[in-house]
Amino acid sequence: MANGYGVNYSHLEQLNDEDLCMHLQAGNRTAEEVLASRYHRLVRSCARPYFLAGGDSEDLLQEGMFGLIKAMREYDVDYEVAFHSFAETCIRHRLYTVIKAASSGKHLPLNQSVPLNPSFFDTNSSFAQVDPEVTLIDTEKAVSLLENARKQLSELEVKILGYYLDGLTYREIAETVGKSPKSVDNAVQRIRRKIARQLNLGDISNG
């Protein structure tokens, strides 16, 4: 399938992220589609910890995609950083901003959300304007919550949690652990309830 720029879809799929950014910034919408498809799993993996903690999955995925779009349209090779790192920072910063904006109380579950993956703040933060003190507190809380949550999970649930946070779909997880997609869904809901219980109690050190 060719587009108005004389570059077909299959050719674009062979390009690296940085070259795709140059194409889409020149107005090639197909290049944008290829890059968005390539990074859809990363958006899911960034948003899912908040969903597990009580956020709305569709809203968070949408916000994460906004962060990806921002990255695709603003990336510059002069940043001297790989697009993947820049994109992940933009996605996570967008989600972090949405969580902070929820402090008005209109979206209480989001107010109680914390990143379950400690690597949330391990990315290059040169593009993310976040409060270092808040970052430190949230990171410590995330580590404590994740460690305590895992103690309450079965061996299967721990595996499913890991794959889920990596961005795999229910079907992909089911194939990996040898269970049905419905069983995976049930496990995810159990994990959510256990995490939500800790958050609602305001105590992440005792389950």
Side-chain angles (χ1 to χ4, degrees), residues 19 23 46 66 71 78 150 157 192:
D19 287 342
H23 277 286
C46 290
F66 287 151
D78 290 338
R150 281 178 170 164
E157 288 170 343
R192 287 196 67 197

Side-chain angles (χ1 to χ4, degrees), residues 124-136:
N124 186 325
S125 61
S126 60
F127 303 100
Q129 301 174 356
V130 295
D131 186 334
E133 183 176 352
V134 173
T135 295
L136 176 60

Side-chain angles (χ1 to χ4, degrees), residues 18 39 42 81-91 123-124 127:
E18 291 73 22
Y39 276 81
L42 175 62
V81 62
F83 174 75
H84 185 282
S85 297
F86 181 67
E88 185 169 1
T89 298
C90 289
I91 294 167
T123 56
N124 186 325
F127 303 100

